[in-house]
Amino acid sequence: MKRTNETIETLQYQLKRYKAMKKGAACQSLQFKIHKLMSQANA
């Protein structure tokens, strides 16, 4: 569980960086991964 939370935090950081660089496709991909991991963590 702790590893999953760290992974989610890392992906959220990367998402912020990609948004700053205006990389739309990469943002969508990361958002999908984050939501997938969050749903697994809550299940």
Side-chain angles (χ1 to χ4, degrees):
M1 183 71 152
K2 185 176 180 182
R3 183 164 173 81
T4 302
N5 288 340
E6 290 174 359
T7 304
I8 290 171
E9 288 174 8
T10 303
L11 290 175
Q12 287 175 334
Y13 172 77
Q14 288 178 340
L15 180 64
K16 288 179 187 177
R17 298 300 303 144
Y18 282 132
K19 281 184 180 180
M21 292 185 284
K22 309 233 186 270
K23 304 276 186 180
C27 288
Q28 288 179 342
S29 175
L30 282 176
Q31 285 177 335
F32 175 74
K33 288 180 183 179
I34 290 169
H35 287 292
K36 187 175 175 184
L37 283 172
M38 289 178 84
S39 66
Q40 288 176 353
N42 291 336

